[in-house]
Amino acid sequence: MKQLFDIFLTFFKLSPITFGGGYAMIPVIQQEIVEKKRWLEEEEVADLFALSGSIPGAIAINTATFIGYRIAGIPGAVFATIGVMVPTFFIVVVLSIFYGFFHDHPKVEAAFEGIRPAVVALIVFAAYKIRKSAVVDKTTFAVAAAALVLLLFFHIHPVLVIALGAAAGVLLIGVKDRLGIKTAVDDSSQQLDYFMGADI
């Protein structure tokens, strides 16, 4: 029960900083869950963020649910989800009440002018942190570069880009296996157990 409360409290503290979407949580999750509490490895968090972004729903809630489940099964998922939702709910209620009074206030506008670029910096930093565990060889670099091109120049929907990335990964790893080339997947035999939750 102590761990479940700890999971709730952790996501309760993380929730208010999700300005600009759940991706702003990534650096803080890395610090809290990977570096400080050592509940998960950096690679696991990167995989969970990728999974959370590829399914419907808010990425912050999806991520909290997946991470909570990974740490403590279904109870962990429930406590993490409630933890991340409660502060946001009350913040939105309060802001909704006062928005009509303050949305045109110069200082409020000035504050948001500072918040927006700060959120961009958080997302860029998160991408940099995830890069170390996601882009591990020439193949993964090529997939990342191709995905960036599709997003920037062809405006392909992110979900489709993720699906194409998954297909490219399966295809490229299959080709490498047939050629006898060792890949990062070969060094991570617990990946299937991880996604299936076999060690929970």
Side-chain angles (χ1 to χ4, degrees):
M1 191 66 188
K2 182 179 182 299
Q3 187 185 46
L4 292 176
F5 180 74
D6 202 8
I7 291 171
F8 170 84
L9 195 60
T10 298
F11 282 96
F12 186 89
K13 292 187 297 183
L14 292 177
S15 179
I17 59 98
T18 56
F19 286 95
Y23 289 105
M25 290 176 66
I26 297 177
V28 189
I29 284 180
Q30 292 275 358
Q31 185 179 33
E32 282 287 322
I33 291 174
V34 176
E35 297 172 14
K36 184 178 176 182
K37 298 185 181 297
R38 300 187 182 278
W39 281 338
L40 298 176
E41 296 295 325
E42 188 171 317
E43 292 80 4
E44 293 177 300
V45 173
D47 290 340
L48 289 173
F49 265 106
L51 187 60
S52 299
S54 65
I55 62 175
I59 190 169
I61 295 174
N62 293 346
T63 302
T65 304
F66 281 128
I67 290 177
Y69 180 80
R70 179 64 186 140
I71 296 168
I74 293 176
V78 172
F79 274 74
T81 303
I82 294 173
V84 82
M85 288 176 62
V86 169
T88 305
F89 173 78
F90 285 107
I91 289 170
V92 168
V93 169
V94 172
L95 289 179
S96 298
I97 294 171
F98 291 101
Y99 181 75
F101 298 99
F102 296 108
H103 73 282
D104 287 329
H105 195 284
K107 288 188 177 179
V108 173
E109 286 293 322
F112 277 101
E113 286 297 317
I115 289 172
R116 293 184 193 110
V119 168
V120 172
L122 281 171
I123 294 173
V124 170
F125 179 69
Y128 173 77
K129 293 283 286 184
I130 288 179
R131 170 199 60 84
K132 294 188 292 184
S133 59
V135 182
V136 296
D137 55 18
K138 292 179 181 178
T139 301
T140 51
F141 177 81
V143 172
L148 184 62
V149 169
L150 290 174
L151 289 167
L152 287 178
F153 299 106
F154 295 94
H155 308 293
I156 304 296
H157 195 281
V159 173
L160 182 56
V161 172
I162 291 170
L164 290 172
V170 172
L171 179 63
L172 292 171
I173 295 298
V175 170
K176 283 189 169 186
D177 283 343
R178 291 194 176 192
L179 295 174
I181 301 173
K182 192 174 183 180
T183 65
V185 174
D186 297 325
D187 297 326
S188 184
S189 60
Q190 294 182 343
Q191 293 246 349
L192 183 58
D193 287 343
Y194 160 58
F195 281 114
M196 298 302 292
D199 58 341
I200 292 176

